[in-house]
Structures are given as C-alpha cells and as structure tokens.
Amino acid sequence: MNVIRLSDMKNVNLPNGAALALGFFDGVHIGHRSIIENARRVSGEAPVAVWMIDPYEDAAEGSPHDFKNGPLLLTQKKEKLERLKKCGAEYAVFCSFKAIKNMSGEEFVRDIISGKLAASHVVCGFNFRFGCGALCGVSELKELSEKYGISCTVSGAVERGGETVSSSRIRALVSSGNVEGACELLGEPFAFTLPVVHGKKLGRTLGFPTVNQIIPSFLVSPARGVYAARVTLYSDGKKKTYPGAANIGVCPTVNAEALTEAGIPEESAAAFGAAREGHVVCETYISGYRGDLYGDNIKVEFLRMLRGEMRFENLDALTERIKANAQSAEKIYAEFEKGNFCSVLQADL
C-alpha cells in the first residue's frame, strides 16, 4: 500500500488517471468496500486510490477526531490501511481536515482531485459531503467532475437488517457489546492492536495469566464484560493466532477485601491493575500460550460477548468463571477458524 500525505504537495506520486474513491472509511465496512469495488470496476488499467481525511494526523494533540465533533474511531491507521489493501486499493491519500476545511466545493475538485491528484474517475457514497461547511453533495460532485473532465460514480446505500450500513451504526453496536452485529457490517471482527502493559498480575495468581492493553481514548471500546476473542501474536516476522477470553473494564472484578484475604498485597488490591483513570483496559487470557509479551503489540479481534461485567465475592468463584469463559471462547474461536462463524452470525441476527 502506497501512502500519500497531501500535507506535502511537492511529493504527490499518484499516477495520472487513477480512479479515486472518496470518503472517511472509518472501519472500512461493507458499504465502504462497495465504493472501492466500484472504483476498481471503472478503473480499467488505472490504479485505484482512496482519498480520505486524516483523523490520525493530530493524534499527538489528543484530539484526532475533533473535526467530527467527537465520534470515536473504529480503526487504527495500520488496521485501516491493511483493510483498504485487502479491498484492492493500491494508494491511500490522506489529507488534513485543516488543509481543506475552508475550500469551496469547486476548489476541492479543481485543486485537489483534478490538479494535485490528476484523477480520471471519482467514486463516492450516496451521502458524501464536501466543500466548506459540507455545503456540497453528490449532485455538485457530478456537476463539478464533468466540468473538469472527470467521470463520477455514486455508490448506493448498502443495507443489512433493513438499515443502512454506516460507521455510526457500527460504533453503536460495538459500544453496546454487540460485536457479532458489528462483525457482519464490518465484514470482519472489530479489532485493535495495542502494546501489552503491566497489570497487577491477579490472573497469574489464579492460574490464568492475562495480557493487559490500555485502549486509547480516541478508539471505540466494546461494552464492559467478557468476550470470546481471536488473538494474533507477532514474532520474528511471523504471526500466530490463539483463542482468548478478553475482559473489558476499568475496575477490579473482586472486592478489595477478598484480594487482601487471599494474600494479594494491599497496594495491588486497591489499584486498578493496568487501568489508568479515564481509560478502559482490555485484559485477555490467551488459551494455549505461555510467555512474556510485555511491550509487544498484539491484535485482539472480538467475536462474541460472553457475559457482562460482574463482581465476585471470592477468588474461587472468579476462577471458576474464568475457566468457563475460556472454554466457551475456545469453542467460538474454533468455529471462526473453520469458516462457520459468519453463517452462525447471520442465523443469530
């Protein structure tokens, strides 16, 4: 995947005549994929490129999504690029919102699409908006594209369950714990790849060591609870997957008194483990794996919610529930690996 950043207008190395898919493409869901497929269809021998606002450019400032007035992101940049590549896009063109927010619709088509990118085709979704204040839509895009000698294709809505597939719909599903519904609309499981940090090692004490990841505040987080997961580990350029039981939460799952009685140090019992105030933590038990993953980036894909957040009066009850969750997660993972998972999802929905 070739990545172009329009902040550096002097080095735009997109071949002339490309078919350009326009959008935000958060999640790269099945509606987005239909747009890219249409771009591939009209491209002929020309390359397919995807133009999108760069929500990650200001991540260091802690507000990569401010231009959208706050919606959380479904995908990290690397994951987004991987999904776009799988869809057949050869170039990803990122543009800062700050660079175009004051452009009129005509300036955007004339200076960016026709001028800098020299596209021969543009493809967008039915609800694409552009220009200062988002004053222009698909009718204006068709008119302006024709004016500058560019063909324009508008992709219709993709529906599932009688509703249009959209990133906002998927965000709502993920945040409510319906990761199966999100998987159907995304075309693959909701996932993130994050570094492993130190926790309070309660799982290790119970015989179920977990890896801990802090979910960045700009990413969508699944609802609190336990999920069957597919975990991907990367080592020496190779990757291997395992079943996992992933817990999303910020607080200890047992009373502090019970931990103290079990011999857990008071400072650990009172702490939030890997959690830091204002952040959600993913703690995952990886079935069949033993090793040190601290500092490594691992991918967790969410397959099904097993239960909501619970508190336990003693460690024996917690241990039994962890064991049952791990067994359930292994069965769901096995179905996913067999390729039966999508048919199960569709039957359930």
Side-chain angles (χ1 to χ4, degrees):
M1 170 69 73
N2 298 285
V3 178
I4 297 171
R5 292 175 179 83
L6 288 185
S7 56
D8 184 5
M9 293 295 194
K10 295 180 181 179
N11 295 306
V12 178
N13 57 350
L14 181 66
N16 289 350
L20 194 63
L22 306 173
F24 187 51
F25 297 98
D26 186 29
V28 194
H29 56 63
I30 58 177
H32 295 145
R33 297 178 190 209
S34 73
I35 295 172
I36 298 171
E37 179 57 36
N38 281 332
R40 291 177 59 190
R41 180 177 54 80
V42 301
S43 66
E45 298 298 318
V48 173
V50 175
W51 177 94
M52 55 203 143
I53 295 293
D54 189 354
Y56 312 97
E57 185 172 69
D58 299 325
E61 300 174 15
S63 57
H65 53 280
D66 275 357
F67 72 94
K68 280 280 196 174
N69 297 318
L72 303 179
L73 299 176
L74 288 166
T75 41
Q76 297 159 280
K77 192 168 195 173
K78 184 178 179 181
E79 178 77 15
K80 189 181 215 179
L81 290 172
E82 289 175 352
R83 293 185 180 192
L84 290 170
K85 184 177 180 179
K86 283 194 292 186
C87 293
E90 300 163 75
Y91 292 84
V93 182
F94 285 105
C95 183
S96 166
F97 177 68
K98 295 175 183 177
I100 64 165
K101 66 179 182 179
N102 294 321
M103 279 187 172
S104 68
E106 180 156 8
E107 287 172 333
F108 174 70
V109 175
R110 182 192 66 207
D111 299 344
I112 302 295
I113 295 177
S114 177
K116 298 298 181 183
L117 300 177
S120 60
H121 310 271
V122 289
V123 183
C124 68
F126 69 99
N127 57 354
F128 179 70
R129 307 294 301 181
F130 66 105
C132 183
L135 293 177
C136 299
V138 294
S139 60
E140 289 84 1
L141 183 61
K142 288 179 178 180
E143 180 181 327
L144 290 167
S145 295
E146 183 178 0
K147 179 176 179 178
Y148 290 98
I150 303 167
S151 69
C152 179
T153 301
V154 177
S155 295
V158 173
E159 293 189 352
R160 288 293 185 274
E163 295 182 52
T164 300
V165 175
S166 67
S167 297
S168 58
R169 181 181 172 190
I170 297 168
R171 292 185 195 108
L173 289 169
V174 172
S175 61
S176 69
N178 187 355
V179 293
E180 298 166 88
C183 178
E184 186 191 22
L185 305 188
L186 285 167
E188 56 189 285
F190 170 77
F192 50 66
T193 302
L194 296 167
V196 176
V197 300
H198 286 276
K200 64 185 176 185
K201 300 180 174 61
L202 173 61
R204 188 182 303 277
T205 302
L206 301 178
F208 294 92
T210 60
V211 293
N212 302 274
Q213 299 165 292
I214 297 176
I215 302 175
S217 58
F218 60 84
L219 284 181
V220 173
S221 172
R224 295 183 189 182
V226 178
Y227 296 80
R230 182 178 190 251
V231 182
T232 302
L233 309 182
Y234 304 89
S235 178
D236 299 324
K238 299 178 181 178
K239 66 179 183 179
K240 188 172 182 180
T241 63
Y242 296 85
N247 180 78
I248 299 291
V250 294
C251 297
T253 52
V254 296
N255 295 330
E257 294 80 3
L259 296 177
T260 303
E261 290 173 3
I264 306 297
E266 183 177 350
E267 59 272 18
S268 296
F272 284 114
R276 295 175 186 163
E277 190 169 352
H279 289 273
V280 179
V281 174
C282 179
E283 299 178 87
T284 306
Y285 170 67
I286 307 173
S287 297
Y289 179 81
R290 293 293 181 273
D292 184 358
L293 293 170
Y294 291 118
D296 290 358
N297 282 294
I298 70 170
K299 182 176 182 179
V300 180
E301 298 170 90
F302 293 81
L303 307 181
R304 178 175 295 174
M305 191 178 201
L306 299 177
R307 65 168 176 82
E309 189 175 49
M310 297 175 62
R311 295 181 69 87
F312 299 89
E313 292 303 318
N314 57 66
L315 295 178
D316 288 340
L318 174 58
T319 301
E320 286 303 310
R321 181 53 67 98
I322 294 174
K323 182 178 179 181
N325 291 338
Q327 291 172 343
S328 296
E330 289 168 8
K331 293 177 182 177
I332 293 169
Y333 168 86
E335 289 300 308
F336 181 83
E337 292 296 282
K338 289 178 188 175
N340 298 333
F341 194 66
C342 288
S343 60
V344 170
L345 288 181
Q346 291 167 1
D348 288 347
L349 293 171

mmCIF file with all atom_site columns, all heavy atoms in Angstrom, residues 31-43:
data_model
loop_
_atom_site.group_PDB
_atom_site.id
_atom_site.type_symbol
_atom_site.label_atom_id
_atom_site.label_alt_id
_atom_site.label_comp_id
_atom_site.label_asym_id
_atom_site.label_entity_id
_atom_site.label_seq_id
_atom_site.pdbx_PDB_ins_code
_atom_site.Cartn_x
_atom_site.Cartn_y
_atom_site.Cartn_z
_atom_site.occupancy
_atom_site.B_iso_or_equiv
_atom_site.pdbx_formal_charge
_atom_site.auth_seq_id
_atom_site.auth_comp_id
_atom_site.auth_asym_id
_atom_site.auth_atom_id
_atom_site.pdbx_PDB_model_num
ATOM 1   N N   . GLY A 1 31 ? -20.134 -1.249 3.311   1.00 0.00 ? 31 GLY A N   1
ATOM 2   C CA  . GLY A 1 31 ? -20.556 -0.135 2.464   1.00 0.00 ? 31 GLY A CA  1
ATOM 3   C C   . GLY A 1 31 ? -19.360 0.536  1.810   1.00 0.00 ? 31 GLY A C   1
ATOM 4   O O   . GLY A 1 31 ? -19.378 0.852  0.609   1.00 0.00 ? 31 GLY A O   1
ATOM 5   N N   . HIS A 1 32 ? -18.301 0.743  2.578   1.00 0.00 ? 32 HIS A N   1
ATOM 6   C CA  . HIS A 1 32 ? -17.062 1.303  2.024   1.00 0.00 ? 32 HIS A CA  1
ATOM 7   C C   . HIS A 1 32 ? -16.482 0.381  0.957   1.00 0.00 ? 32 HIS A C   1
ATOM 8   O O   . HIS A 1 32 ? -15.965 0.838  -0.072  1.00 0.00 ? 32 HIS A O   1
ATOM 9   C CB  . HIS A 1 32 ? -16.017 1.473  3.131   1.00 0.00 ? 32 HIS A CB  1
ATOM 10  C CG  . HIS A 1 32 ? -16.405 2.475  4.180   1.00 0.00 ? 32 HIS A CG  1
ATOM 11  N ND1 . HIS A 1 32 ? -16.068 2.326  5.512   1.00 0.00 ? 32 HIS A ND1 1
ATOM 12  C CD2 . HIS A 1 32 ? -17.103 3.645  4.097   1.00 0.00 ? 32 HIS A CD2 1
ATOM 13  C CE1 . HIS A 1 32 ? -16.521 3.359  6.193   1.00 0.00 ? 32 HIS A CE1 1
ATOM 14  N NE2 . HIS A 1 32 ? -17.160 4.168  5.361   1.00 0.00 ? 32 HIS A NE2 1
ATOM 15  N N   . ARG A 1 33 ? -16.578 -0.904 1.200   1.00 0.00 ? 33 ARG A N   1
ATOM 16  C CA  . ARG A 1 33 ? -15.990 -1.872 0.265   1.00 0.00 ? 33 ARG A CA  1
ATOM 17  C C   . ARG A 1 33 ? -16.704 -1.853 -1.078  1.00 0.00 ? 33 ARG A C   1
ATOM 18  O O   . ARG A 1 33 ? -16.088 -2.084 -2.115  1.00 0.00 ? 33 ARG A O   1
ATOM 19  C CB  . ARG A 1 33 ? -16.003 -3.269 0.899   1.00 0.00 ? 33 ARG A CB  1
ATOM 20  C CG  . ARG A 1 33 ? -15.134 -3.326 2.146   1.00 0.00 ? 33 ARG A CG  1
ATOM 21  C CD  . ARG A 1 33 ? -15.149 -4.667 2.841   1.00 0.00 ? 33 ARG A CD  1
ATOM 22  N NE  . ARG A 1 33 ? -14.489 -4.543 4.153   1.00 0.00 ? 33 ARG A NE  1
ATOM 23  C CZ  . ARG A 1 33 ? -13.847 -5.529 4.766   1.00 0.00 ? 33 ARG A CZ  1
ATOM 24  N NH1 . ARG A 1 33 ? -13.771 -6.716 4.199   1.00 0.00 ? 33 ARG A NH1 1
ATOM 25  N NH2 . ARG A 1 33 ? -13.292 -5.331 5.937   1.00 0.00 ? 33 ARG A NH2 1
ATOM 26  N N   . SER A 1 34 ? -18.003 -1.555 -1.045  1.00 0.00 ? 34 SER A N   1
ATOM 27  C CA  . SER A 1 34 ? -18.728 -1.463 -2.320  1.00 0.00 ? 34 SER A CA  1
ATOM 28  C C   . SER A 1 34 ? -18.261 -0.245 -3.114  1.00 0.00 ? 34 SER A C   1
ATOM 29  O O   . SER A 1 34 ? -18.221 -0.278 -4.350  1.00 0.00 ? 34 SER A O   1
ATOM 30  C CB  . SER A 1 34 ? -20.237 -1.400 -2.072  1.00 0.00 ? 34 SER A CB  1
ATOM 31  O OG  . SER A 1 34 ? -20.623 -0.147 -1.543  1.00 0.00 ? 34 SER A OG  1
ATOM 32  N N   . ILE A 1 35 ? -17.898 0.842  -2.417  1.00 0.00 ? 35 ILE A N   1
ATOM 33  C CA  . ILE A 1 35 ? -17.367 2.028  -3.086  1.00 0.00 ? 35 ILE A CA  1
ATOM 34  C C   . ILE A 1 35 ? -16.035 1.698  -3.755  1.00 0.00 ? 35 ILE A C   1
ATOM 35  O O   . ILE A 1 35 ? -15.801 2.043  -4.928  1.00 0.00 ? 35 ILE A O   1
ATOM 36  C CB  . ILE A 1 35 ? -17.191 3.183  -2.074  1.00 0.00 ? 35 ILE A CB  1
ATOM 37  C CG1 . ILE A 1 35 ? -18.543 3.615  -1.530  1.00 0.00 ? 35 ILE A CG1 1
ATOM 38  C CG2 . ILE A 1 35 ? -16.459 4.366  -2.725  1.00 0.00 ? 35 ILE A CG2 1
ATOM 39  C CD1 . ILE A 1 35 ? -18.461 4.614  -0.377  1.00 0.00 ? 35 ILE A CD1 1
ATOM 40  N N   . ILE A 1 36 ? -15.166 1.012  -3.022  1.00 0.00 ? 36 ILE A N   1
ATOM 41  C CA  . ILE A 1 36 ? -13.858 0.652  -3.580  1.00 0.00 ? 36 ILE A CA  1
ATOM 42  C C   . ILE A 1 36 ? -14.017 -0.340 -4.728  1.00 0.00 ? 36 ILE A C   1
ATOM 43  O O   . ILE A 1 36 ? -13.303 -0.264 -5.739  1.00 0.00 ? 36 ILE A O   1
ATOM 44  C CB  . ILE A 1 36 ? -12.938 0.091  -2.474  1.00 0.00 ? 36 ILE A CB  1
ATOM 45  C CG1 . ILE A 1 36 ? -12.707 1.172  -1.401  1.00 0.00 ? 36 ILE A CG1 1
ATOM 46  C CG2 . ILE A 1 36 ? -11.609 -0.376 -3.058  1.00 0.00 ? 36 ILE A CG2 1
ATOM 47  C CD1 . ILE A 1 36 ? -12.001 0.678  -0.170  1.00 0.00 ? 36 ILE A CD1 1
ATOM 48  N N   . GLU A 1 37 ? -14.963 -1.251 -4.621  1.00 0.00 ? 37 GLU A N   1
ATOM 49  C CA  . GLU A 1 37 ? -15.222 -2.204 -5.706  1.00 0.00 ? 37 GLU A CA  1
ATOM 50  C C   . GLU A 1 37 ? -15.681 -1.473 -6.960  1.00 0.00 ? 37 GLU A C   1
ATOM 51  O O   . GLU A 1 37 ? -15.270 -1.817 -8.083  1.00 0.00 ? 37 GLU A O   1
ATOM 52  C CB  . GLU A 1 37 ? -16.271 -3.228 -5.259  1.00 0.00 ? 37 GLU A CB  1
ATOM 53  C CG  . GLU A 1 37 ? -16.627 -4.259 -6.323  1.00 0.00 ? 37 GLU A CG  1
ATOM 54  C CD  . GLU A 1 37 ? -15.427 -5.041 -6.830  1.00 0.00 ? 37 GLU A CD  1
ATOM 55  O OE1 . GLU A 1 37 ? -14.515 -5.338 -6.014  1.00 0.00 ? 37 GLU A OE1 1
ATOM 56  O OE2 . GLU A 1 37 ? -15.391 -5.343 -8.046  1.00 0.00 ? 37 GLU A OE2 1
ATOM 57  N N   . ASN A 1 38 ? -16.522 -0.458 -6.798  1.00 0.00 ? 38 ASN A N   1
ATOM 58  C CA  . ASN A 1 38 ? -16.943 0.337  -7.955  1.00 0.00 ? 38 ASN A CA  1
ATOM 59  C C   . ASN A 1 38 ? -15.765 1.087  -8.565  1.00 0.00 ? 38 ASN A C   1
ATOM 60  O O   . ASN A 1 38 ? -15.682 1.239  -9.795  1.00 0.00 ? 38 ASN A O   1
ATOM 61  C CB  . ASN A 1 38 ? -18.041 1.322  -7.544  1.00 0.00 ? 38 ASN A CB  1
ATOM 62  C CG  . ASN A 1 38 ? -19.406 0.663  -7.444  1.00 0.00 ? 38 ASN A CG  1
ATOM 63  O OD1 . ASN A 1 38 ? -19.675 -0.318 -8.131  1.00 0.00 ? 38 ASN A OD1 1
ATOM 64  N ND2 . ASN A 1 38 ? -20.271 1.206  -6.602  1.00 0.00 ? 38 ASN A ND2 1
ATOM 65  N N   . ALA A 1 39 ? -14.856 1.560  -7.716  1.00 0.00 ? 39 ALA A N   1
ATOM 66  C CA  . ALA A 1 39 ? -13.656 2.223  -8.228  1.00 0.00 ? 39 ALA A CA  1
ATOM 67  C C   . ALA A 1 39 ? -12.810 1.245  -9.037  1.00 0.00 ? 39 ALA A C   1
ATOM 68  O O   . ALA A 1 39 ? -12.270 1.591  -10.099 1.00 0.00 ? 39 ALA A O   1
ATOM 69  C CB  . ALA A 1 39 ? -12.847 2.819  -7.074  1.00 0.00 ? 39 ALA A CB  1
ATOM 70  N N   . ARG A 1 40 ? -12.716 0.032  -8.557  1.00 0.00 ? 40 ARG A N   1
ATOM 71  C CA  . ARG A 1 40 ? -11.962 -0.990 -9.299  1.00 0.00 ? 40 ARG A CA  1
ATOM 72  C C   . ARG A 1 40 ? -12.638 -1.284 -10.636 1.00 0.00 ? 40 ARG A C   1
ATOM 73  O O   . ARG A 1 40 ? -11.983 -1.480 -11.651 1.00 0.00 ? 40 ARG A O   1
ATOM 74  C CB  . ARG A 1 40 ? -11.865 -2.281 -8.464  1.00 0.00 ? 40 ARG A CB  1
ATOM 75  C CG  . ARG A 1 40 ? -10.984 -2.163 -7.224  1.00 0.00 ? 40 ARG A CG  1
ATOM 76  C CD  . ARG A 1 40 ? -10.999 -3.429 -6.422  1.00 0.00 ? 40 ARG A CD  1
ATOM 77  N NE  . ARG A 1 40 ? -10.529 -4.572 -7.196  1.00 0.00 ? 40 ARG A NE  1
ATOM 78  C CZ  . ARG A 1 40 ? -10.623 -5.840 -6.804  1.00 0.00 ? 40 ARG A CZ  1
ATOM 79  N NH1 . ARG A 1 40 ? -11.206 -6.133 -5.657  1.00 0.00 ? 40 ARG A NH1 1
ATOM 80  N NH2 . ARG A 1 40 ? -10.167 -6.808 -7.559  1.00 0.00 ? 40 ARG A NH2 1
ATOM 81  N N   . ARG A 1 41 ? -13.967 -1.303 -10.640 1.00 0.00 ? 41 ARG A N   1
ATOM 82  C CA  . ARG A 1 41 ? -14.717 -1.632 -11.856 1.00 0.00 ? 41 ARG A CA  1
ATOM 83  C C   . ARG A 1 41 ? -14.501 -0.579 -12.944 1.00 0.00 ? 41 ARG A C   1
ATOM 84  O O   . ARG A 1 41 ? -14.376 -0.911 -14.128 1.00 0.00 ? 41 ARG A O   1
ATOM 85  C CB  . ARG A 1 41 ? -16.201 -1.759 -11.517 1.00 0.00 ? 41 ARG A CB  1
ATOM 86  C CG  . ARG A 1 41 ? -17.099 -2.100 -12.689 1.00 0.00 ? 41 ARG A CG  1
ATOM 87  C CD  . ARG A 1 41 ? -18.537 -2.266 -12.244 1.00 0.00 ? 41 ARG A CD  1
ATOM 88  N NE  . ARG A 1 41 ? -19.026 -1.110 -11.504 1.00 0.00 ? 41 ARG A NE  1
ATOM 89  C CZ  . ARG A 1 41 ? -19.440 0.018  -12.078 1.00 0.00 ? 41 ARG A CZ  1
ATOM 90  N NH1 . ARG A 1 41 ? -19.409 0.134  -13.410 1.00 0.00 ? 41 ARG A NH1 1
ATOM 91  N NH2 . ARG A 1 41 ? -19.877 1.007  -11.342 1.00 0.00 ? 41 ARG A NH2 1
ATOM 92  N N   . VAL A 1 42 ? -14.467 0.702  -12.547 1.00 0.00 ? 42 VAL A N   1
ATOM 93  C CA  . VAL A 1 42 ? -14.349 1.765  -13.552 1.00 0.00 ? 42 VAL A CA  1
ATOM 94  C C   . VAL A 1 42 ? -12.895 2.114  -13.873 1.00 0.00 ? 42 VAL A C   1
ATOM 95  O O   . VAL A 1 42 ? -12.635 2.854  -14.821 1.00 0.00 ? 42 VAL A O   1
ATOM 96  C CB  . VAL A 1 42 ? -15.074 3.054  -13.096 1.00 0.00 ? 42 VAL A CB  1
ATOM 97  C CG1 . VAL A 1 42 ? -16.538 2.776  -12.843 1.00 0.00 ? 42 VAL A CG1 1
ATOM 98  C CG2 . VAL A 1 42 ? -14.403 3.673  -11.878 1.00 0.00 ? 42 VAL A CG2 1
ATOM 99  N N   . SER A 1 43 ? -11.951 1.568  -13.116 1.00 0.00 ? 43 SER A N   1
ATOM 100 C CA  . SER A 1 43 ? -10.554 1.994  -13.255 1.00 0.00 ? 43 SER A CA  1
ATOM 101 C C   . SER A 1 43 ? -9.890  1.483  -14.528 1.00 0.00 ? 43 SER A C   1
ATOM 102 O O   . SER A 1 43 ? -8.947  2.103  -15.029 1.00 0.00 ? 43 SER A O   1
ATOM 103 C CB  . SER A 1 43 ? -9.747  1.536  -12.039 1.00 0.00 ? 43 SER A CB  1
ATOM 104 O OG  . SER A 1 43 ? -9.663  0.119  -11.995 1.00 0.00 ? 43 SER A OG  1
#
